[in-house]
Amino acid sequence: MFRKVVRQSKFRHVFGQPVKNDQCYEDIRVSRVTWDSTFCAVNPKFLAVIVEASGGGAFLVLPLSKTGRIDKAYPTVCGHTGPVLDIDWCPHNDEVIASGSEDCTVMVWQIPENGLVSPLTEPVVVLEGHTKRVGIVTWHPTARNVLLSAGCDNMVLIWNVGTAEELYRLDSLHPDLIYNVSWNRNGSLFCTACKDKSVRVIDPRRGTLVAEREKAHEGARPMRAIFLADGKVFTTGFSRMSERQLALWDPENFGEPMALQELDSSNGALLPFYDPDTNVVYVCGKGDSSIRYFEITDEPPYIHFLNTFTSKEPQRGMGSMPKRGLEVSKCEIARFYKLHERKCEPIVMTVPRKSDLFQDDLYPDTAGPEAALEAEEWVSGRDASPILISLREAYVPSKQRDLKVNRRNVLSDSRPAAAPGTSRPGPSMPAASTNITMPSGRLAGAGEAGKLEEVMQELQTLRALVREQGERIGRLEEQLSRIENGDA
């Protein structure tokens, strides 16, 4: 008996493809600040990129349709007095974005519906509470107007943006620089990766440490930790020998990793992007020219390598499109916005499928733009999972070839009528469905009535013939597909 060596997965053949040059965003001066941020945030309406700015900090907000070369004079969001370090779109409003900066502030901006026509310098709200630069901003996944920020003062602050008030201040849980923060699926907990090599799971409302794993990765270089949909924690980091690693942890048993894989010995920090609908993690290294992707499953070895997308240019940063912004009719399961030194290049991840129909297995219901809770409800202790929406409405069938009908004049006298009783049996066809319109005066005589009877009989014959030919074509196609698949 032969053992099956290849694991079955519908994502095994996912392939990445950069878009054509005219669909890229050219001439963008991407920020050179030395901070391990993605520098890019994207949603179904806008692309935001942190850019170089003289005398302060700025980021560019472009409507997705504004591809091609971007004018140097294109307006930016430029209210910060220091370089912008991180940006994040609000999941419940596609026109609201938060930014954290070296000027120790967090600002929240409302972008005009059709994009910027002049520089935006006035934020909707300024959140002041950090004493050092703010390197991380991330919105709560299910509660409206709840924003988390983390700074180089080793503090995590949680804000109610609607009232501009500080809800929680967690200033004693991290002894060193926080590398990243990730909420869990319903926003009841978040996990952090810290410079002291520890991964912590924290309850923000109680201000308590739920679980902690020291030396999750033993290397000194930056690491990342993200929550998965089932509550597991996925981390990227470095070994003691400076080899890049991936690990999967169960926060209820943080002693040993469920899985640990070594990738290579490059030195760029690994940025993980997670799709909770498909359980696929995409790992992009800063300075790499590749995106690796892995499927997370319930059975060992838990982390399954799928494939690698490779290009020539290294990436300065990366943005990931939410699921509701993808083209489901093209079986697109992810889209990344890769930052080069002077441009942003979308990369489309596709599952090859022959069928043009909506693929239910690739697109389960996904988190929609509606908030499940108000900020006050979340503060009072309530939790709620994201409100899911179906992507079936976003499905647009691919353009079919035009049906060409060769019309012939069925009323022509020169054409012999089919003899009674010789026509092929076919479905009866009511006169109303034939769409033949005639002036009522012409049906006055019995001769005209007889002519109409002949026409109806001939239409029945033609309809039966078409149906027969359709069945024959179907049988031939079935035989052909069996031959192609090697079944015949």
Side-chain angles (χ1 to χ4, degrees):
M1 292 288 289
F2 288 104
R3 190 165 60 89
K4 227 180 220 176
V5 179
V6 179
R7 191 183 67 89
Q8 289 300 311
S9 168
K10 56 184 169 243
F11 304 113
R12 232 179 81 214
H13 301 293
V14 170
F15 67 96
Q17 202 168 19
V19 300
K20 293 175 180 170
N21 273 342
D22 61 345
Q23 294 299 304
C24 293
Y25 305 84
E26 302 275 355
D27 223 11
I28 296 174
R29 304 185 308 282
V30 178
S31 173
R32 295 176 175 277
V33 68
T34 54
W35 181 254
D36 280 323
S37 160
T38 58
F39 291 148
C40 180
V42 64
N43 70 17
K45 285 184 81 169
F46 295 110
L47 164 71
V49 180
I50 302 174
V51 292
E52 285 286 291
S54 52
F59 58 95
L60 204 57
V61 175
L62 302 169
L64 287 186
S65 58
K66 189 168 176 58
T67 52
R69 186 179 167 279
I70 308 301
D71 194 333
K72 283 187 172 62
Y74 194 86
T76 58
V77 181
C78 51
H80 285 287
T81 56
V84 177
L85 299 180
D86 196 21
I87 49 178
D88 192 31
W89 287 106
C90 176
H92 309 124
N93 187 335
D94 286 343
E95 291 162 16
V96 171
I97 187 168
S99 58
S101 165
E102 279 192 13
D103 63 11
C104 308
T105 65
V106 176
M107 294 185 180
V108 179
W109 311 84
Q110 175 92 34
I111 306 299
E113 187 178 350
N114 298 317
L116 299 178
V117 290
S118 60
L120 187 58
T121 56
E122 289 298 317
V124 177
V125 64
V126 180
L127 305 172
E128 295 175 320
H130 288 282
T131 56
K132 291 187 179 176
R133 60 184 184 165
V134 182
I136 298 165
V137 288
T138 178
W139 292 91
H140 192 283
T142 60
R144 194 190 314 279
N145 293 339
V146 175
L147 178 68
L148 179 151
S149 64
C152 295
D153 48 12
N154 309 337
M155 284 198 299
V156 175
L157 300 182
I158 296 174
W159 310 87
N160 182 343
V161 174
T163 58
E165 64 179 321
E166 185 184 299
L167 296 175
Y168 303 103
R169 175 179 289 257
L170 310 174
D171 53 6
S172 58
L173 297 175
H174 297 90
D176 214 330
L177 180 69
I178 302 165
Y179 285 136
N180 90 301
V181 179
S182 170
W183 292 99
N184 68 350
R185 182 82 162 149
N186 66 3
S188 58
L189 304 169
F190 64 81
C191 67
T192 63
C194 181
K195 197 174 180 180
D196 67 352
K197 303 179 186 176
S198 290
V199 172
R200 296 174 173 85
V201 176
I202 294 165
D203 183 332
R205 289 170 293 197
R206 291 195 176 92
T208 56
L209 201 61
V210 176
E212 180 178 10
R213 165 66 194 188
E214 297 177 1
K215 292 193 176 177
H217 295 277
E218 296 193 338
R221 298 187 63 79
M223 57 188 225
R224 298 246 159 179
I226 56 171
F227 258 120
L228 304 185
D230 61 358
K232 305 283 193 301
V233 174
F234 181 88
T235 61
T236 64
F238 292 81
S239 69
R240 191 179 292 159
M241 307 300 292
S242 286
E243 288 181 311
R244 297 199 289 190
Q245 294 178 319
L246 312 173
L248 185 65
W249 308 84
D250 183 353
E252 294 179 8
N253 179 19
F254 246 153
E256 288 296 319
M258 295 170 64
L260 181 67
Q261 287 188 18
E262 292 194 343
L263 287 187
D264 54 31
S265 52
S266 296
N267 58 4
L270 290 169
L271 308 175
F273 295 90
Y274 173 62
D275 179 359
D277 303 332
T278 58
N279 260 332
V280 175
V281 176
Y282 302 84
V283 178
C284 319
K286 272 214 157 181
D288 288 10
S289 53
S290 63
I291 302 172
R292 295 179 177 90
Y293 30 110
F294 303 82
E295 188 176 3
I296 312 295
T297 62
D298 294 332
E299 58 283 341
Y302 304 111
I303 303 175
H304 303 273
F305 173 72
L306 291 172
N307 212 334
T308 304
F309 165 79
T310 309
S311 56
K312 293 174 185 172
E313 297 281 325
Q315 54 231 15
R316 299 279 304 276
M318 192 74 75
S320 172
M321 173 67 80
K323 211 59 174 290
R324 58 194 174 88
L326 302 180
E327 289 194 47
V328 296
S329 54
K330 295 182 178 175
C331 294
E332 182 183 2
I333 61 163
R335 190 189 312 153
F336 294 99
Y337 286 74
K338 172 181 170 178
L339 300 184
H340 300 241
E341 201 168 333
R342 302 281 301 185
K343 79 169 180 179
C344 176
E345 176 185 43
I347 294 163
V348 175
M349 297 286 180
T350 310
V351 176
R353 291 277 170 97
K354 283 183 178 176
S355 171
D356 282 339
L357 301 176
F358 178 74
Q359 306 292 312
D360 292 276
D361 59 329
L362 297 184
Y363 302 106
D365 289 356
T366 191
E370 191 57 46
L373 296 170
E374 296 300 324
E376 294 74 21
E377 293 177 295
W378 181 74
V379 170
S380 70
R382 280 189 60 192
D383 290 319
S385 296
I387 295 175
L388 303 182
I389 58 169
S390 170
L391 293 176
R392 189 180 285 276
E393 284 72 38
Y395 170 71
V396 180
S398 59
K399 191 178 179 192
Q400 303 293 332
R401 284 177 296 185
D402 292 338
L403 175 66
K404 290 183 180 172
V405 180
N406 290 323
R407 296 179 181 276
R408 49 185 185 188
N409 187 359
V410 293
L411 300 177
S412 168
D413 289 335
S414 60
R415 189 175 158 71
T422 59
S423 65
R424 303 182 186 206
S428 62
M429 190 167 170
S433 69
T434 61
N435 292 333
I436 300 172
T437 56
M438 299 182 189
S440 55
R442 290 192 53 198
L443 295 178
E448 257 64 358
K451 179 84 77 175
L452 182 60
E453 188 62 39
E454 287 176 8
V455 168
M456 293 297 296
Q457 236 173 8
E458 189 159 342
L459 274 174
Q460 278 188 2
T461 306
L462 288 172
R463 191 167 178 176
L465 185 63
V466 167
R467 190 176 65 172
E468 232 176 66
Q469 293 299 333
E471 289 171 358
R472 183 165 175 271
I473 288 168
R475 287 196 298 274
L476 289 172
E477 281 180 342
E478 197 178 321
Q479 286 175 7
L480 184 62
S481 71
R482 283 212 297 271
I483 292 167
E484 284 177 346
N485 295 334
D487 296 341

Short mmCIF file of all heavy atoms in Angstrom, two decimals, residues 44 91 94 185 277 322-326 328 358 363-371 385-394:
data_model
loop_
_atom_site.label_atom_id
_atom_site.label_comp_id
_atom_site.label_asym_id
_atom_site.label_seq_id
_atom_site.Cartn_x
_atom_site.Cartn_y
_atom_site.Cartn_z
N PRO A 44 -11.09 48.72 1.49
CA PRO A 44 -11.74 48.65 0.17
C PRO A 44 -11.87 49.98 -0.57
O PRO A 44 -12.21 50.00 -1.75
CB PRO A 44 -13.11 48.07 0.49
CG PRO A 44 -12.90 47.26 1.73
CD PRO A 44 -11.90 48.03 2.52
N PRO A 91 -11.81 49.55 11.22
CA PRO A 91 -12.53 48.46 10.54
C PRO A 91 -14.02 48.75 10.38
O PRO A 91 -14.71 48.05 9.63
CB PRO A 91 -12.30 47.26 11.47
CG PRO A 91 -12.02 47.85 12.80
CD PRO A 91 -11.36 49.18 12.56
N ASP A 94 -14.64 53.14 6.66
CA ASP A 94 -13.56 53.13 5.67
C ASP A 94 -12.96 54.51 5.41
O ASP A 94 -12.04 54.65 4.61
CB ASP A 94 -14.06 52.53 4.34
CG ASP A 94 -14.23 51.02 4.44
OD1 ASP A 94 -13.68 50.44 5.39
OD2 ASP A 94 -14.92 50.44 3.59
N ARG A 185 -9.98 37.52 18.42
CA ARG A 185 -11.10 37.64 17.46
C ARG A 185 -12.22 38.54 17.97
O ARG A 185 -12.79 39.32 17.22
CB ARG A 185 -11.64 36.22 17.18
CG ARG A 185 -12.77 36.15 16.16
CD ARG A 185 -12.27 36.17 14.76
NE ARG A 185 -13.28 35.70 13.81
CZ ARG A 185 -13.37 36.13 12.57
NH1 ARG A 185 -12.54 37.04 12.12
NH2 ARG A 185 -14.29 35.66 11.75
N ASP A 277 -10.47 33.62 7.92
CA ASP A 277 -11.47 32.83 7.17
C ASP A 277 -10.87 31.56 6.58
O ASP A 277 -11.54 30.54 6.47
CB ASP A 277 -12.08 33.67 6.05
CG ASP A 277 -12.71 34.95 6.57
OD1 ASP A 277 -13.14 34.95 7.74
OD2 ASP A 277 -12.76 35.94 5.83
N PRO A 322 -8.45 43.94 3.46
CA PRO A 322 -9.48 43.12 4.14
C PRO A 322 -10.24 42.28 3.13
O PRO A 322 -10.34 42.63 1.95
CB PRO A 322 -10.39 44.17 4.78
CG PRO A 322 -9.61 45.44 4.80
CD PRO A 322 -8.65 45.38 3.66
N LYS A 323 -10.81 41.18 3.60
CA LYS A 323 -11.46 40.21 2.71
C LYS A 323 -12.57 40.84 1.88
O LYS A 323 -12.78 40.48 0.73
CB LYS A 323 -12.01 39.08 3.58
CG LYS A 323 -12.06 37.71 2.95
CD LYS A 323 -10.71 37.23 2.50
CE LYS A 323 -10.71 35.81 2.01
NZ LYS A 323 -10.91 34.82 3.03
N ARG A 324 -13.30 41.81 2.45
CA ARG A 324 -14.44 42.38 1.72
C ARG A 324 -14.00 43.29 0.59
O ARG A 324 -14.83 43.78 -0.17
CB ARG A 324 -15.38 43.11 2.69
CG ARG A 324 -14.74 44.21 3.46
CD ARG A 324 -15.60 44.68 4.64
NE ARG A 324 -14.88 45.65 5.45
CZ ARG A 324 -14.88 46.94 5.23
NH1 ARG A 324 -15.56 47.44 4.21
NH2 ARG A 324 -14.20 47.76 6.00
N GLY A 325 -12.69 43.53 0.43
CA GLY A 325 -12.20 44.35 -0.66
C GLY A 325 -11.65 43.55 -1.83
O GLY A 325 -11.13 44.11 -2.79
N LEU A 326 -11.77 42.22 -1.76
CA LEU A 326 -11.19 41.36 -2.80
C LEU A 326 -12.18 41.10 -3.93
O LEU A 326 -13.38 41.26 -3.77
CB LEU A 326 -10.76 40.02 -2.20
CG LEU A 326 -9.76 40.09 -1.04
CD1 LEU A 326 -9.44 38.69 -0.54
CD2 LEU A 326 -8.47 40.79 -1.47
N VAL A 328 -13.99 38.52 -5.61
CA VAL A 328 -14.32 37.12 -5.39
C VAL A 328 -14.59 36.39 -6.71
O VAL A 328 -14.44 35.18 -6.79
CB VAL A 328 -15.52 36.97 -4.44
CG1 VAL A 328 -15.19 37.49 -3.07
CG2 VAL A 328 -16.74 37.69 -4.97
N PHE A 358 -19.62 31.26 -7.85
CA PHE A 358 -19.14 31.72 -6.55
C PHE A 358 -18.63 30.53 -5.75
O PHE A 358 -19.31 29.50 -5.65
CB PHE A 358 -20.27 32.42 -5.80
CG PHE A 358 -19.89 32.88 -4.43
CD1 PHE A 358 -19.09 34.00 -4.27
CD2 PHE A 358 -20.32 32.21 -3.30
CE1 PHE A 358 -18.73 34.44 -3.01
CE2 PHE A 358 -19.97 32.63 -2.04
CZ PHE A 358 -19.16 33.76 -1.89
N TYR A 363 -14.81 31.39 0.33
CA TYR A 363 -15.32 32.63 0.91
C TYR A 363 -16.42 32.36 1.93
O TYR A 363 -17.60 32.61 1.67
CB TYR A 363 -15.86 33.56 -0.19
CG TYR A 363 -14.82 33.91 -1.23
CD1 TYR A 363 -14.85 33.34 -2.50
CD2 TYR A 363 -13.78 34.78 -0.92
CE1 TYR A 363 -13.89 33.67 -3.44
CE2 TYR A 363 -12.81 35.10 -1.86
CZ TYR A 363 -12.87 34.53 -3.12
OH TYR A 363 -11.91 34.84 -4.04
N PRO A 364 -16.06 31.82 3.11
CA PRO A 364 -17.07 31.76 4.17
C PRO A 364 -17.42 33.19 4.60
O PRO A 364 -16.71 34.14 4.23
CB PRO A 364 -16.34 31.01 5.29
CG PRO A 364 -14.89 31.24 5.03
CD PRO A 364 -14.74 31.35 3.54
N ASP A 365 -18.49 33.34 5.35
CA ASP A 365 -18.87 34.68 5.80
C ASP A 365 -17.70 35.33 6.55
O ASP A 365 -17.03 34.68 7.35
CB ASP A 365 -20.09 34.59 6.72
CG ASP A 365 -21.35 34.23 5.94
OD1 ASP A 365 -21.25 34.14 4.71
OD2 ASP A 365 -22.40 34.03 6.57
N THR A 366 -17.47 36.60 6.28
CA THR A 366 -16.31 37.30 6.83
C THR A 366 -16.75 38.52 7.62
O THR A 366 -17.91 38.95 7.53
CB THR A 366 -15.35 37.70 5.68
OG1 THR A 366 -14.11 38.14 6.23
CG2 THR A 366 -15.95 38.82 4.83
N ALA A 367 -15.82 39.07 8.40
CA ALA A 367 -16.14 40.23 9.24
C ALA A 367 -16.54 41.41 8.36
O ALA A 367 -15.83 41.79 7.44
CB ALA A 367 -14.94 40.59 10.09
N GLY A 368 -17.69 41.98 8.67
CA GLY A 368 -18.19 43.12 7.89
C GLY A 368 -17.83 44.43 8.54
O GLY A 368 -17.17 44.48 9.58
N PRO A 369 -18.28 45.55 7.96
CA PRO A 369 -17.91 46.87 8.48
C PRO A 369 -18.75 47.35 9.66
O PRO A 369 -18.51 48.42 10.19
CB PRO A 369 -18.12 47.79 7.26
CG PRO A 369 -19.18 47.10 6.46
CD PRO A 369 -19.03 45.64 6.70
N GLU A 370 -19.73 46.55 10.07
CA GLU A 370 -20.61 46.98 11.16
C GLU A 370 -20.01 46.59 12.50
O GLU A 370 -19.58 45.45 12.70
CB GLU A 370 -21.99 46.33 10.98
CG GLU A 370 -23.08 46.88 11.88
CD GLU A 370 -23.29 48.38 11.71
OE1 GLU A 370 -23.37 48.85 10.55
OE2 GLU A 370 -23.36 49.06 12.74
N ALA A 371 -19.96 47.54 13.45
CA ALA A 371 -19.44 47.24 14.79
C ALA A 371 -20.45 46.41 15.57
O ALA A 371 -21.66 46.66 15.50
CB ALA A 371 -19.13 48.54 15.53
N SER A 385 -18.49 38.66 19.05
CA SER A 385 -17.72 38.31 17.86
C SER A 385 -18.07 39.28 16.74
O SER A 385 -19.11 39.94 16.78
CB SER A 385 -18.05 36.88 17.43
OG SER A 385 -17.62 35.97 18.42
N PRO A 386 -17.19 39.38 15.72
CA PRO A 386 -17.49 40.29 14.59
C PRO A 386 -18.81 39.92 13.93
O PRO A 386 -19.19 38.75 13.88
CB PRO A 386 -16.32 40.06 13.63
CG PRO A 386 -15.24 39.46 14.45
CD PRO A 386 -15.90 38.70 15.55
N ILE A 387 -19.52 40.94 13.43
CA ILE A 387 -20.75 40.71 12.65
C ILE A 387 -20.32 40.30 11.24
O ILE A 387 -19.62 41.04 10.55
CB ILE A 387 -21.62 41.97 12.62
CG1 ILE A 387 -22.11 42.30 14.03
CG2 ILE A 387 -22.80 41.79 11.67
CD1 ILE A 387 -22.89 43.58 14.15
N LEU A 388 -20.74 39.10 10.85
CA LEU A 388 -20.27 38.54 9.58
C LEU A 388 -21.18 38.93 8.42
O LEU A 388 -22.39 39.12 8.61
CB LEU A 388 -20.18 37.01 9.68
CG LEU A 388 -19.29 36.46 10.81
CD1 LEU A 388 -19.25 34.94 10.76
CD2 LEU A 388 -17.88 37.02 10.72
N ILE A 389 -20.59 39.04 7.25
CA ILE A 389 -21.36 39.30 6.03
C ILE A 389 -20.96 38.27 4.98
O ILE A 389 -19.86 37.70 5.03
CB ILE A 389 -21.09 40.72 5.48
CG1 ILE A 389 -19.58 40.92 5.17
CG2 ILE A 389 -21.60 41.79 6.42
CD1 ILE A 389 -19.27 42.16 4.39
N SER A 390 -21.87 38.01 4.06
CA SER A 390 -21.57 37.10 2.95
C SER A 390 -20.92 37.89 1.82
O SER A 390 -21.31 39.03 1.55
CB SER A 390 -22.85 36.43 2.45
OG SER A 390 -22.58 35.75 1.24
N LEU A 391 -19.94 37.28 1.18
CA LEU A 391 -19.30 37.93 0.03
C LEU A 391 -20.00 37.59 -1.28
O LEU A 391 -19.55 38.01 -2.34
CB LEU A 391 -17.82 37.52 -0.05
CG LEU A 391 -16.94 38.03 1.11
CD1 LEU A 391 -15.53 37.48 0.97
CD2 LEU A 391 -16.91 39.54 1.13
N ARG A 392 -21.07 36.81 -1.20
CA ARG A 392 -21.77 36.41 -2.43
C ARG A 392 -22.30 37.62 -3.18
O ARG A 392 -22.32 37.65 -4.41
CB ARG A 392 -22.90 35.45 -2.09
CG ARG A 392 -23.55 34.81 -3.29
CD ARG A 392 -24.67 33.88 -2.87
NE ARG A 392 -24.17 32.64 -2.32
CZ ARG A 392 -23.81 31.58 -3.07
NH1 ARG A 392 -23.91 31.65 -4.39
NH2 ARG A 392 -23.39 30.48 -2.52
N GLU A 393 -22.72 38.66 -2.44
CA GLU A 393 -23.26 39.85 -3.10
C GLU A 393 -22.17 40.57 -3.89
O GLU A 393 -22.45 41.29 -4.85
CB GLU A 393 -23.85 40.82 -2.07
CG GLU A 393 -25.21 40.41 -1.53
CD GLU A 393 -25.12 39.23 -0.58
OE1 GLU A 393 -24.14 39.17 0.20
OE2 GLU A 393 -26.01 38.35 -0.62
N ALA A 394 -20.92 40.39 -3.47
CA ALA A 394 -19.81 41.07 -4.17
C ALA A 394 -19.40 40.30 -5.42
O ALA A 394 -18.57 40.78 -6.19
CB ALA A 394 -18.61 41.22 -3.24
#
